[in-house]
Amino acid sequence: MGGFFGTISNSPCVTDLFYGIDYNSHLGTRRGGMITFYDGEFNRAIHNLENSYFRLRFEADLSKFKGNSGIGVISDTDPQPIFINSHLGKYAIVTVAKINNLKELEKELLATGAHFTELSSDQKNQTELIALLISQGKTFLEGIELVYEKIKGSCSMLILTENSIIAARDKWGRTPVLIGSKDGANAVSSEPCSFPNLGYELSYDVGPGEVVELTADKITQLRKPNKQKQVCSFLWVYYGYPVSDYEGVNVDAVRYASGQAMAKRDAVDADYVAGIPDSGIGMGLGYAEGKGIPYRRAIIKYTPTWPRSFTPANQAVRDLVAKMKLIPNRRLLDGKRVIFCDDSIVRGTQLKDNVSILYGYGAKEVHMRIGSPPILHACPYLGFTASKSAMELITRRTIEELEGDADKDLDKYAITYSPQYNNMIDCIRKKLHISTLKFMTVEDLLTSIGLPENHVCTYCYNKVEPKEE
């Protein structure tokens, strides 16, 4: 996935920039970067974050950064920011993007005489490719329009020029871009949780395809938002921060409402409810209230060192993280029937380990309630998991076992409570040794989010794609 932050101020911006980027750290674990503009020059630093946190890696660099404007990024793709000197002038760029036609665009650009300099693991840097497309425009806006036209996938970006910051949100609005303001400064971020402690008030949600230009004292719209939008539903299920609002909808409120909705449809008896940290907690609290039974902290996340388990690209590392980061409370588990609420099941890596440990600590029954519908399709729009193939999904592996073909009758498996759906869920339950297993329905998730149905992307559950109007 990834997240970015930028700020422009009438005074030095480095402290706000440093902490603002850090507040996007839950969106990625691979690389971080920041860049400022001062006295006609860009100052940049990029570091690998796979074995450290953003703040620890960048503190030593802070003394070299000066200036009143800067942008930065937490990236799970390429090293960035990059900076360019073109006919548009000097500029730097960060992106949150997934480009499915990268190779085709690379060939097209090379044929025009363009060249690539920023390489990542022998791959072309997709942020540089986006910059090359932008530089083909007569203006920044014309170049951004070219990006919207050319790429298949998604792209939101921040551009730092000598005088301003230009923010552009993906044309379908799949990822959020929000603006915060305070006296003498404006900031833009993927995560509004970056604003309060830095003194910014959330002032504007950038719309799908909208382009705005920020100075310290002004926000100017360069391109109106598109009427259609497809905001990723997984934003509220998993990767959004609990205190954040996107499209005016609070993350933790959605998780709480989802838990309440599931509890109303659930007849299982249990001694108490527990949320799997972190993103299962809000749902667990809502479920406990909806069910009218206690909430207990039967499993605790060891927060100082362990990242999210499905973000690392290496399967062995994911397995290790899944096992090590959560610590069960034996005294609460012994002899108890427990309903556990979790955000999702992607590969099943973490859950399988957790369930084994819970029984080992004396749990009598383990009932799992999942805050997302079953994930049947790899996302073609966002890199919110490290999955390289649909066959990494536990649902598709299960369908292959049942049908001999992982692609058979996927539309039927996507229908809640169809015979195929019920069979798949029961097989996953047996595979993970769970007493009972239920997933959120697409309908209840959309109701909990509260946006119009055609404004929320549910592709990974049912492969519903938007149609251009």
Side-chain angles (χ1 to χ4, degrees), residues 259-280:
Q260 287 185 308
M262 181 168 279
K264 291 175 182 177
R265 297 178 182 272
D266 202 351
V268 70
D269 290 323
D271 296 303
Y272 64 83
V273 180
I276 303 292
D278 286 319
S279 40

Side-chain angles (χ1 to χ4, degrees), residues 2 9 29 35 55 86 178 181-182 209 273 285 291 374 388 390 408 428 459:
S9 174
T29 61
I35 191 165
R55 289 196 311 277
S86 76
L178 302 107
S181 302
K182 64 181 177 180
V273 180
L285 290 167
K291 192 74 170 172
K388 301 297 189 295
K408 185 177 180 181
I428 293 173
Y459 181 98

Side-chain angles (χ1 to χ4, degrees), residues 401-413:
E401 292 168 11
L402 292 171
E403 304 282 0
D405 180 354
D407 299 324
K408 185 177 180 181
D409 290 337
L410 291 180
D411 55 335
K412 295 178 181 178
Y413 280 97

Side-chain angles (χ1 to χ4, degrees), residues 169-175 205-210 225-232 236 246-249 449 451-458 464-469:
R169 187 177 178 187
D170 165 60
K171 67 179 182 179
W172 287 98
R174 299 187 189 282
T175 55
D205 278 40
V206 179
E210 187 175 9
N226 299 329
K227 293 181 180 179
Q228 293 177 283
K229 67 174 69 171
Q230 283 281 287
V231 188
C232 176
W236 289 278
Y246 314 109
E247 308 294 324
V249 180
I449 293 171
L451 295 176
E453 182 177 338
N454 62 351
H455 285 187
V456 181
C457 182
T458 59
V464 172
E465 295 185 275
K467 293 180 181 179
E468 300 263 8
E469 291 182 355

Side-chain angles (χ1 to χ4, degrees), residues 135-413:
S135 295
Q136 289 187 344
K138 295 177 182 178
T139 64
F140 281 111
L141 181 57
E142 189 175 296
I144 292 167
E145 291 279 14
L146 191 62
V147 173
Y148 289 163
E149 175 190 331
K150 290 280 189 181
I151 71 162
K152 295 177 181 177
S154 67
C155 179
S156 295
M157 70 188 86
L158 298 181
I159 298 171
L160 176 64
T161 75
E162 299 178 57
N163 302 303
S164 66
I165 293 174
I166 298 171
R169 187 177 178 187
D170 165 60
K171 67 179 182 179
W172 287 98
R174 299 187 189 282
T175 55
V177 178
L178 302 107
I179 295 173
S181 302
K182 64 181 177 180
D183 188 34
N186 281 306
V188 57
S189 182
S190 302
E191 264 294 359
C193 71
S194 60
F195 295 148
N197 288 344
L198 297 174
Y200 294 93
E201 291 286 339
L202 177 62
S203 58
Y204 190 69
D205 278 40
V206 179
E210 187 175 9
V211 182
V212 297
E213 184 172 29
L214 282 66
T215 63
D217 303 304
K218 190 176 181 182
I219 301 168
T220 304
Q221 186 185 69
L222 302 182
R223 183 187 191 274
K224 292 182 179 180
N226 299 329
K227 293 181 180 179
Q228 293 177 283
K229 67 174 69 171
Q230 283 281 287
V231 188
C232 176
S233 61
F234 224 62
L235 187 68
W236 289 278
V237 170
Y238 177 76
Y239 64 79
Y241 210 66
V243 301
S244 292
D245 292 2
Y246 314 109
E247 308 294 324
V249 180
N250 180 259
V251 171
D252 207 54
V254 169
R255 294 174 184 172
Y256 193 88
S258 295
Q260 287 185 308
M262 181 168 279
K264 291 175 182 177
R265 297 178 182 272
D266 202 351
V268 70
D269 290 323
D271 296 303
Y272 64 83
V273 180
I276 303 292
D278 286 319
S279 40
I281 293 173
M283 179 190 172
L285 290 167
Y287 187 101
E289 179 172 304
K291 192 74 170 172
I293 60 177
Y295 181 91
R296 295 286 184 268
R297 296 207 301 165
I299 189 164
I300 304 292
K301 181 181 176 183
Y302 188 73
T303 57
T305 56
W306 292 103
R308 289 182 154 180
S309 60
F310 85 121
T311 306
N314 182 282
Q315 182 65 52
V317 175
R318 288 197 298 267
D319 290 345
L320 177 64
V321 171
K323 178 180 179 182
M324 299 299 290
K325 73 173 183 176
L326 299 177
I327 305 174
N329 189 330
R330 184 188 297 270
R331 195 169 290 266
L332 289 181
L333 290 167
D334 194 19
K336 299 297 183 181
R337 304 166 301 162
V338 187
I339 296 169
F340 287 95
C341 293
D342 204 356
D343 54 81
S344 59
I345 303 178
V346 181
R347 300 174 185 85
T349 303
Q350 180 173 327
L351 187 54
K352 185 175 182 180
D353 260 343
N354 287 345
V355 171
S356 176
I357 292 169
L358 295 171
Y359 281 124
Y361 276 37
K364 184 178 179 181
E365 296 175 5
V366 174
H367 304 274
M368 294 303 308
R369 300 297 179 260
I370 307 301
S372 76
I375 298 173
L376 290 167
H377 306 278
C379 179
Y381 307 117
L382 303 176
F384 72 80
T385 80
S387 295
K388 301 297 189 295
S389 159
M391 287 309 296
E392 293 186 42
L393 301 172
I394 192 170
T395 52
R396 295 294 280 276
R397 297 197 305 272
T398 301
I399 292 170
E400 184 176 52
E401 292 168 11
L402 292 171
E403 304 282 0
D405 180 354
D407 299 324
K408 185 177 180 181
D409 290 337
L410 291 180
D411 55 335
K412 295 178 181 178
Y413 280 97

